[in-house]
Amino acid sequence: MDTSIDTRMAKAMAHPVRAEALRILNERVASPSDIARELELPVANVSYHVNTLHRLGCIEEVEHRHVRGAIEHRYRAVRRPIVELADSASLPANVRHSLCGNVFAAAMADAHAGLEQGTVERRADLFWTFSKFELDEQAWAEAYDVLRDAYESIEMLQAQAKRRISEGAEPIPSRLTIFHYEAPAEAAE
């Protein structure tokens, strides 16, 4: 799955409905009506945004079927949005702001749902941290590389797990949220 963000992905992620639809389609195959139900939005609005994602090449149609006299189209994501250092410099500030806001909001909503359902603390082998650091430019760049490498390693682990799951291993739904950002001035120590 392609992960870098380009102008098309930035346009896709700049609208909150498209960002949420893409999040859902990264998790599973769904139709616009499935997404509309989950987001509690009108199907026509969601269909418009799903069509935009499809036109931008962020999702692909995996099947269609007849449902109550209509054709239901089902999609999955083909691109997982990751804002890369080189990519983000080429995006307008308002698009970067929107992207960051959408990612933060989706991650916080998902974490809150996990807390409410008791899944966040269910396992004893957890890793969570909110850490404050003071870095220079070189350390910032090296931290970026470490985080990118960690993400790519976990993606490889997922590919290996998918094979084992297809052979009968029990799947464990998981989330990885990595935020590395310059702290706001009032929070800096």
Side-chain angles (χ1 to χ4, degrees):
M1 180 177 287
D2 185 14
T3 58
S4 63
I5 196 159
D6 59 15
T7 305
R8 290 176 301 147
M9 182 61 75
K11 185 175 181 178
M13 295 297 293
H15 194 282
V17 173
R18 288 193 295 268
E20 281 296 298
L22 191 56
R23 176 190 60 79
I24 290 167
L25 294 171
N26 264 296
E27 295 172 359
R28 65 185 178 283
V29 171
S31 69
S33 59
D34 296 333
I35 297 167
R37 253 188 318 279
E38 183 171 333
L39 300 179
E40 298 178 350
L41 293 172
V43 174
N45 292 0
V46 173
S47 291
Y48 169 80
H49 291 292
V50 168
N51 286 334
T52 300
L53 290 171
H54 188 251
R55 184 174 37 80
L56 292 170
C58 301
I59 63 174
E60 65 183 1
E61 185 176 346
V62 294
E63 68 177 319
H64 61 272
R65 60 187 181 188
H66 293 278
V67 177
R68 295 184 299 276
I71 297 176
E72 178 185 67
H73 300 272
R74 299 178 53 77
Y75 300 91
R76 72 172 167 216
V78 295
R79 306 185 70 204
R80 182 171 290 136
I82 296 176
V83 178
E84 294 271 0
L85 188 63
D87 298 326
S88 66
S90 66
L91 298 174
N94 65 325
V95 173
R96 285 194 311 270
H97 180 82
S98 181
L99 284 169
C100 290
N102 289 339
V103 170
F104 274 116
M108 294 304 108
D110 194 75
H112 184 280
L115 283 168
E116 291 291 314
Q117 295 172 21
T119 59
V120 170
E121 70 277 3
R122 183 177 297 158
R123 296 183 62 92
D125 53 348
L126 300 172
F127 180 86
W128 10 334
T129 182
F130 175 73
S131 303
K132 296 180 181 183
F133 299 103
E134 190 170 45
L135 306 175
D136 64 3
E137 284 297 327
Q138 180 179 341
W140 181 277
E142 290 173 7
Y144 173 86
D145 291 339
V146 167
L147 294 171
R148 178 66 184 170
D149 290 347
Y151 176 81
E152 288 176 351
S153 294
I154 293 170
E155 271 202 326
M156 285 190 292
L157 293 173
Q158 176 179 319
Q160 295 166 6
K162 281 186 176 185
R163 180 187 47 78
R164 291 189 298 270
I165 290 167
S166 72
E167 295 169 354
E170 186 70 28
I172 302 169
S174 75
R175 300 289 188 270
L176 173 65
T177 303
I178 300 174
F179 297 125
H180 183 224
Y181 55 94
E182 189 171 338
E186 59 273 5
E189 293 182 4

